[in-house]
Amino acid sequence: MLFPKSFLPLLPVFIASLVGVVNAAGVVTHDENFIPDAILHITEGQQKQSCVPTKNIILVNGTSPGPELKFKEGETVWIRVFNDIPDQNLTMVSSLSPRPCANCPSPLYEFPHTCFFESENHWHGLTMATAPFSDGTPQAAQWPVPPNHYFDYQLHVPIGMAGTYFYHSHIIETGRPPYAYDGERFLFLQDNFPDNDTVIEHALLAQPMAYEKAQTMILVNGKGGGLTSEGTVCNESLSVINVQPGKTYRMRLIGGTSLAFVSLAIEDHKNLQVIEADASYTDIHSTEFMQVAPGQRYSFLLETQSHPAKQQYFIQLETRDFGPPTRSYAVLNYVNGYNSSTGPFYPPATPPLTLPPTDTYFLDYVLCPLSHPEYSATDVFPTAEEVTRRVNITFHLDITGNGGLVYLINNYTWNEGLVQQPYLVSLYENNGLEWPSMERALQNDGLDPVIYAFPAAIGEVLEIVVQGTGSANGGMESHPWHAHGAHYWDLGGGDGVYNQAENEAKWAYSTGKPVKRDTTMIYSFQGQTGIGQLMGWRAWRLRITEPGVWMIHCHLLPHMVWGMQTAWVMGNSTEVLGRVPRPEVEGYLTYGGSVVGNATHPAQPVDYFPYSVWGTGGAGGGQ
């Protein structure tokens, strides 16, 4: 049974009548009696996006962005993802899409239809709440889904994980949010480019590198218009955010861009009250503008005017850092008490706002975790005295002899030739890939260079320092670093080299406290330094509690393509592989195994959560 398309934009979940209770993780058959909590069909098609020519893009249920999903804390849900692209492999997409590569650099993922190129596709921010093979990252956790097949992703959402996530907007709700508001609105940001993904990928990997184009426009909820990066004016219609006077709205701001850093503000609405960062509730912090990087999510409360002077106010967005700036708009539209048109609306002739330059300490050292006792986290921030080990992740952009670009992490680069199958699969198969060696890692700032992974032991408290360097020409760029797995406590960032004592002192005098995040910034600061000189850092603290294989990387598409990513292996072999032993996982260990279904046979996944309910109506139910 499929959900009708009209139902897909909002998917509240309820538990269907109980038919059976799974007492232990085991293989289940999702036959015609099973009803997923959500169904997503991934296709590729020609579509016109604002300010760029019509081109092939990836669509979710026929749209870009895809439909909103809503689930509640404490529930286990199944999301069925159909790969309806006839010539491409797929894992669940977040901000980017899989695409074919005609000249693959290695045999990895060479299948009859295509070679699979993957950057960073997963249930963004929810990885610790998923089953081991449901993270959505093929080089770490799972094989991609073959064409004309489907995969049932199981997500368990523990209490305390309420917040904003995305594949293309994905919300986990609490029974009662800690802040009162009258409604919520989305600001889902994307950047678009004049070329399609295949052209961009090939040019980025070319020798010499051959893609220097910036994003053309920033889209809000799929639409945008204004000043393009080419310096031209794009006069296309804008997204409309409808509000009523005298109300409070939760604005969910999602950085779904692949390159652009975006600053935004709202005309004549200067009090934006931040209440969430990367799915962590915070005490209220007021700001006049927002700054969001790829992969980041924020919620802020917007109090609308009781007696607005006009019906429409512009939301102004500008890009920073990469390439010539773009300026885009959306419209905040007051709908109560007016008889004027509700659209379409177009960009203004002159910008109504002057946005500030990049704030290299935006919200750092001022945000505080929510102090309300009913919503406070049960885990406690580990102090510097509890840290058992420091891990240094030092990255450097180098130029190959033929003019290509490559990122090195601790002097090694990630590429598709590193592993011939996903890490987790290889560890189960024990087919030549060694278990990460802590001894080797300790000699290389935490990285085992033999298998290019960072091992961690359960019970450790790590201080992780992501440190930038001057590139091969001395240049510096900004980087939003994202970690799959458990959210880390963000210790802030700065210019130069990390110094723990100085940073601890900074917190002692700051107004904020470390907040749990999953995507935080290393800024370019001076923009230029000596080749290889340490410059620009971000520090995290992480208590290792959950075994698994997780990715960690910069969230910029070109940087991932050039190798700015690696893997964590947390826990020993017994802890990682013993969670669900063989033979239950056999269907996950081969490409096209029994865990994927198609028109001729049902999927047979593992139900990982012994308390999940399933039977007629599946793990959850639909309406």
Side-chain angles (χ1 to χ4, degrees):
M1 174 180 177
L2 302 183
F3 289 115
K5 183 173 288 189
S6 61
F7 180 74
L8 279 162
L10 186 63
L11 290 166
V13 178
F14 70 96
I15 299 298
S17 57
L18 308 186
V19 174
V21 177
V22 178
N23 295 316
V27 176
V28 294
T29 299
H30 286 178
D31 58 19
E32 65 276 4
N33 295 316
F34 176 80
I35 302 175
D37 298 290
I39 293 179
L40 303 175
H41 284 269
I42 314 300
T43 59
E44 184 179 36
Q46 291 274 317
Q47 190 172 91
K48 177 69 174 71
Q49 291 182 303
S50 298
C51 308
V52 297
T54 299
K55 61 181 180 179
N56 267 356
I57 63 172
I58 298 297
L59 304 172
V60 184
N61 291 354
T63 66
S64 175
E68 172 188 321
L69 303 179
K70 277 195 175 184
F71 303 114
K72 291 186 180 297
E73 287 183 318
E75 294 183 329
T76 298
V77 299
W78 290 91
I79 302 175
R80 176 163 293 181
V81 178
F82 283 88
N83 180 10
D84 293 335
I85 307 174
D87 60 351
Q88 296 187 38
N89 295 289
L90 176 75
T91 64
M92 191 52 233
V93 295
S94 59
S95 58
L96 305 174
S97 59
R99 49 215 175 265
C101 49
N103 300 301
C104 296
S106 79
L108 180 64
Y109 302 153
E110 286 183 355
F111 303 119
H113 298 285
T114 185
C115 158
F116 185 81
F117 177 86
E118 179 66 26
S119 50
E120 193 282 312
N121 300 325
H122 76 118
W123 304 99
H124 186 100
L126 264 181
T127 51
M128 270 301 178
T130 65
F133 291 94
S134 289
D135 183 32
T137 48
Q139 287 180 299
Q142 71 172 103
W143 290 106
V145 182
N148 303 314
H149 286 69
Y150 65 84
F151 184 89
D152 289 344
Y153 288 89
Q154 187 181 36
L155 306 182
H156 174 66
V157 187
I159 300 297
M161 290 288 288
T164 308
Y165 304 84
F166 71 104
Y167 79 101
H168 287 298
S169 77
H170 185 113
I171 302 173
I172 304 301
E173 294 183 317
T174 58
R176 179 172 59 87
Y179 294 101
Y181 45 85
D182 299 299
E184 59 182 41
R185 301 291 185 265
F186 276 94
L187 299 174
F188 185 84
L189 309 187
Q190 296 169 281
D191 44 11
N192 60 11
F193 296 80
D195 301 303
N196 63 34
D197 289 349
T198 303
V199 170
I200 294 172
E201 176 209 333
H202 289 168
L204 289 173
L205 292 174
Q207 305 279 343
M209 197 278 291
Y211 201 82
E212 296 288 353
K213 297 179 183 179
Q215 67 285 330
T216 296
M217 183 52 58
I218 301 301
L219 310 182
V220 180
N221 301 343
K223 303 174 75 174
L227 177 69
T228 73
S229 59
E230 290 83 14
T232 60
V233 173
C234 171
N235 196 38
E236 297 207 17
S237 65
L238 308 176
S239 287
V240 177
I241 312 298
N242 289 321
V243 296
Q244 293 183 341
K247 302 289 186 180
T248 299
Y249 292 90
R250 179 180 183 168
M251 310 295 286
R252 294 184 184 265
L253 174 62
I254 301 174
T257 54
S258 56
L259 180 65
F261 295 84
V262 180
S263 291
L264 69 89
I266 305 176
E267 181 186 9
D268 292 342
H269 294 72
K270 292 186 176 182
N271 185 21
L272 311 181
Q273 301 177 43
V274 177
I275 61 167
E276 177 207 352
D278 294 348
S280 291
Y281 276 118
T282 68
D283 286 346
I284 287 178
H285 178 80
S286 294
T287 176
E288 293 188 1
F289 75 103
M290 293 297 299
Q291 189 170 288
V292 61
Q296 292 184 322
R297 293 92 62 214
Y298 294 102
S299 287
F300 61 88
L301 298 180
L302 176 69
E303 297 177 355
T304 59
Q305 299 177 13
S306 297
H307 303 285
K310 56 183 180 178
Q311 183 180 5
Q312 288 90 34
Y313 296 85
F314 284 106
I315 303 172
Q316 184 171 318
L317 307 95
E318 295 176 2
T319 59
R320 299 288 187 261
D321 279 59
F322 289 97
T326 68
R327 183 181 300 117
S328 185
Y329 300 92
V331 171
L332 189 73
N333 184 47
Y334 281 81
V335 296
N336 189 35
Y338 287 92
N339 296 317
S340 58
S341 169
T342 58
F345 303 114
Y346 295 91
T350 58
L353 296 166
T354 300
L355 298 185
T358 298
D359 180 354
T360 54
Y361 291 96
F362 181 68
L363 299 184
D364 289 353
Y365 306 99
V366 295
L367 282 186
C368 289
L370 179 64
S371 56
H372 193 295
E374 184 178 346
Y375 298 94
S376 296
T378 56
D379 49 355
V380 179
F381 169 67
T383 64
E385 290 72 24
E386 294 178 77
V387 172
T388 58
R389 180 164 60 101
R390 179 180 296 178
V391 171
N392 294 312
I393 301 176
T394 304
F395 59 85
H396 176 70
L397 179 62
D398 206 358
I399 301 175
T400 68
N402 295 323
L405 297 181
V406 60
Y407 265 105
L408 305 175
I409 296 178
N410 293 14
N411 297 317
Y412 294 85
T413 189
W414 177 278
N415 62 62
E416 292 184 330
L418 285 170
V419 290
Q420 299 304 305
Q421 55 188 184
Y423 266 107
L424 187 57
V425 170
S426 291
L427 295 176
Y428 267 105
E429 295 280 28
N430 191 26
N431 63 352
L433 179 66
E434 296 182 54
W435 200 264
S437 164
M438 185 67 75
E439 181 180 356
R440 290 194 297 261
L442 292 175
Q443 297 172 5
N444 197 51
D445 273 350
L447 175 71
D448 178 353
V450 173
I451 68 167
Y452 196 61
F454 286 82
I458 301 299
E460 284 192 282
V461 176
L462 299 183
E463 187 158 276
I464 302 158
V465 180
V466 187
Q467 181 77 60
T469 66
S471 68
N473 63 7
M476 299 289 299
E477 292 184 331
S478 297
H479 306 275
W481 268 80
H482 171 57
H484 299 210
H487 293 192
Y488 49 76
W489 281 276
D490 181 47
L491 302 182
D495 205 352
V497 181
Y498 174 68
N499 181 296
Q500 185 190 70
E502 291 179 0
N503 202 53
E504 290 291 306
K506 194 169 186 176
W507 279 109
Y509 291 100
S510 74
T511 59
K513 297 179 181 178
V515 175
K516 275 197 163 184
R517 302 288 302 270
D518 61 46
T519 309
T520 47
M521 285 298 304
I522 300 174
Y523 292 100
S524 59
F525 291 101
Q526 301 174 29
Q528 195 76 21
T529 188
I531 297 173
Q533 180 177 342
L534 297 177
M535 185 64 65
W537 56 269
R538 198 85 199 179
W540 309 330
R541 206 163 283 166
L542 179 63
R543 198 186 304 274
I544 308 300
T545 60
E546 295 289 337
V549 179
W550 318 106
M551 295 297 293
I552 180 171
H553 57 89
C554 175
H555 215 281
L556 299 185
L557 169 61
H559 295 182
M560 287 185 281
V561 169
W562 295 329
M564 202 174 185
Q565 53 188 324
T566 184
W568 287 99
V569 179
M570 297 180 179
N572 60 34
S573 59
T574 300
E575 292 161 337
V576 174
L577 307 183
R579 183 178 177 186
V580 183
R582 302 175 84 148
E584 284 84 357
V585 298
E586 290 293 342
Y588 293 90
L589 302 184
T590 57
Y591 170 73
S594 61
V595 295
V596 296
N598 62 18
T600 64
H601 64 270
Q604 294 183 304
V606 169
D607 187 336
Y608 290 93
F609 301 100
Y611 42 79
S612 61
V613 183
W614 66 281
T616 302
Q623 292 181 348

